[in-house]
Amino acid sequence: MHRNNLSAILYGINDLRLEETEVGKPNDNEVLLKMACIGICGSDVHYLTKGKIGDFILEKPMIIGHESSGTVIEIGRNVRNLEIGDRVAVEPGIPCRFCKYCKQGRYNLCRDMEFCATPPINGSLRRFYKHAADFCHKLQENVSLEEGALAEPLSVGVHACKRAGITIGSNVLILGAGPVGLLTLLVAKALGAKTVILSDLNQHRLSLAEKMGADATYVVDKHSSETENVKNIRICFNEPPDVTIDASGAEDSIRLSILVTRAGGVVVIVGMGAPEVRIPLMDALVREVDIRGVFRYVNDYSDALDLISTKKADVRAIVTHRYKLEETLEAFETAKSSQSGAIKVMIYCE
């Protein structure tokens, strides 16, 4: 059967094209999906505008997209966890399953990870896509396909909050009110955090944070000193936060996260910026502030989908724009524009 497989292929910097690609048959452990929804991630935009992220460099054309959901239309002969017609969220990273990290349950650290839309691995922004069946998560009946696609960035928030040790009564500061920061807010609240405050340079994003349940927000003043920002944020809490999660990756924000957190507290860095930054390390050492990194997620998809299914995380709140697959180029223009007000741009393949 001939299938039209319109795909979004990144050829180089600001060179994104819609072209037909081969569908292919799923192997014994894969399923073929009719794609439904794909969200545009900041990393997708970064590859489009810069052609690389750190050591991952676009050297040949690559199909873009990794925040996705779809419906199973073919299954490999060894697949037992899914059936034709199942709606699934696609966990985009496929580890080797055999190395030390995979065996220990930390497969996000697998050195042989194949992650959608990370060069040279093709992504999922196309009409049909095949994926490892064990990394396709069946959606509960009350979870939409759009919500299924949003399970990917929500899983980042789940992993960040687990790494932070957020629990009942935690006071949490989140720096950066982009998609991950906003979704981390939902997870922190679901875990029982007493106070969650978001900080950003952008009042528009902080207004959405307030609608999504933030207890307070703080607009970082570029003209204020670092010391003044630390003092002002602490006033918002009446005491320093127990946990600070940096979802921006900016050096100023990482510095602020360390300085503002209480002695003995935890700083979790989610946002990825420059390869090297200057931080107040001595301040962290003498106050025993733990600094923890986050790389994607691991064993978090089921928790993310449970949060969506039980209505503890209204992920749809971050979607500001929706486009058809045929409008992908326009969708990316919106996503990369600082004037569009976009937070999460969603592309519908159906």
Side-chain angles (χ1 to χ4, degrees):
M1 179 190 300
H2 173 74
R3 293 188 173 108
N4 172 292
N5 198 25
L6 193 64
S7 307
I9 305 174
L10 183 61
Y11 277 82
I13 294 176
N14 291 321
D15 186 5
L16 183 63
R17 310 177 197 176
L18 285 173
E19 297 179 351
E20 296 285 339
T21 61
E22 184 180 350
V23 175
K25 295 284 291 183
N27 69 25
D28 291 349
N29 300 301
E30 291 180 331
V31 292
L32 180 64
L33 303 172
K34 184 179 181 182
M35 301 308 292
C37 297
I38 293 94
I40 296 179
C41 175
S43 66
D44 296 322
V45 174
H46 203 85
Y47 281 122
L48 174 65
T49 58
K50 305 296 182 182
K52 64 179 182 178
I53 296 178
D55 294 332
F56 297 105
I57 301 170
L58 183 72
E59 296 178 336
K60 63 178 183 178
M62 174 187 76
I63 299 174
I64 206 161
H66 64 271
E67 299 179 1
S68 53
S69 65
T71 301
V72 177
I73 59 172
E74 287 185 32
I75 61 174
R77 65 178 182 176
N78 293 339
V79 175
R80 300 290 182 266
N81 64 313
L82 296 170
E83 298 177 351
I84 292 175
D86 283 345
R87 300 173 313 123
V88 300
V90 178
E91 183 172 352
I94 308 299
C96 77
R97 303 177 179 84
F98 298 105
C99 71
K100 175 178 68 175
Y101 296 110
C102 287
K103 294 291 189 183
Q104 292 175 345
R106 302 188 71 182
Y107 60 81
N108 61 321
L109 303 180
C110 174
R111 294 192 179 107
D112 294 319
M113 172 74 76
E114 294 187 350
F115 198 91
C116 286
T118 297
I121 308 302
N122 282 316
S124 56
L125 184 43
R126 38 182 147 170
R127 207 173 299 281
F128 298 98
Y129 169 67
K130 58 181 182 176
H131 197 72
D134 56 326
F135 282 86
C136 291
H137 301 265
K138 186 176 177 179
L139 300 181
Q140 296 93 324
E141 289 186 5
N142 67 337
V143 176
S144 70
L145 285 160
E146 181 174 90
E147 290 171 318
L150 291 166
E152 198 276 344
L154 182 63
S155 292
V156 177
V158 170
H159 191 48
C161 289
K162 287 179 181 178
R163 291 280 286 159
I166 293 172
T167 186
I168 296 170
S170 297
N171 290 316
V172 181
L173 171 66
I174 299 172
L175 299 175
V180 169
L182 292 168
L183 293 177
T184 302
L185 157 67
L186 298 181
V187 179
K189 279 294 188 179
L191 290 175
K194 180 174 70 175
T195 304
V196 183
I197 295 177
L198 266 79
S199 177
D200 200 282
L201 296 167
N202 188 313
Q203 180 59 59
H204 167 67
R205 294 189 169 201
L206 291 179
S207 296
L208 179 56
E210 291 169 358
K211 293 177 182 177
M212 292 175 65
D215 294 287
T217 58
Y218 176 75
V219 180
V220 175
D221 186 348
K222 291 182 178 179
H223 303 293
S224 295
S225 69
E226 188 172 71
T227 302
E228 288 172 328
N229 281 318
V230 169
K231 178 183 176 181
N232 292 337
I233 291 174
R234 286 183 168 181
I235 289 172
C236 294
F237 280 98
N238 297 318
E239 57 183 334
D242 305 307
V243 171
T244 301
I245 297 175
D246 178 69
S248 75
E251 180 175 304
D252 289 348
S253 185
I254 295 171
R255 290 181 55 85
L256 187 60
S257 69
I258 294 170
L259 294 169
V260 77
T261 304
R262 70 165 175 83
V266 177
V267 169
V268 174
I269 301 174
V270 183
M272 290 188 177
E276 296 186 13
V277 296
R278 292 170 57 88
I279 63 170
L281 184 59
M282 188 60 68
D283 180 90
L285 297 181
V286 300
R287 297 190 304 113
E288 292 196 349
V289 174
D290 289 351
I291 302 172
R292 301 174 186 172
V294 162
F295 187 56
R296 296 170 179 158
Y297 31 74
V298 58
N299 300 310
D300 297 309
Y301 251 73
S302 59
D303 291 332
L305 289 170
D306 281 344
L307 288 175
I308 295 171
S309 178
T310 56
K311 307 303 180 185
K312 293 178 182 176
D314 181 10
V315 292
R316 296 169 300 178
I318 71 167
V319 180
T320 52
H321 298 75
R322 294 175 175 87
Y323 291 90
K324 298 177 182 177
L325 177 59
E326 293 80 2
E327 300 170 325
T328 292
L329 302 186
E330 182 182 351
F332 270 87
E333 287 300 315
T334 299
K336 72 180 185 179
S337 169
S338 60
Q339 307 301 316
S340 67
I343 293 178
K344 177 59 66 180
V345 177
M346 187 65 66
I347 296 173
Y348 274 73
C349 295
E350 297 181 309

